[in-house]
Amino acid sequence: MYGACREHVEQVIEQFLFEYARAPELLMLSQAGREETLPAACLFCSQPPVYLVK
Ligand SMILES: [Zn+2]
């Protein structure tokens, strides 16, 4: 699972495809379940993530 800010969401999706060889599920962070361990920052910068790519 990766976190992505608005700016880097496309790059994070590309990284996910490269790493996992499947299309990711894209969620707004606000829709994520509380039981999940959420990334503290975007994969490509230190901003808080807006999206979860998993
Ligand atoms: Zn970012």
Side-chain angles (χ1 to χ4, degrees), residues 7-27:
E7 195 178 332
H8 292 121
V9 62
E10 287 179 17
Q11 285 159 263
V12 173
I13 289 170
E14 281 175 24
Q15 179 65 30
F16 187 99
L17 284 168
F18 179 79
E19 197 79 23
Y20 295 97
R22 66 169 175 87
E25 189 184 342
L26 189 64
L27 293 176

Side-chain angles (χ1 to χ4, degrees), residues 1 27-39 50-52 54:
M1 185 200 313
L27 293 176
M28 298 293 289
L29 197 72
S30 54
Q31 297 173 322
R34 287 174 192 278
E35 74 279 6
E36 297 191 65
T37 306
L38 303 173
V50 176
Y51 301 103
L52 277 182
K54 67 173 194 175

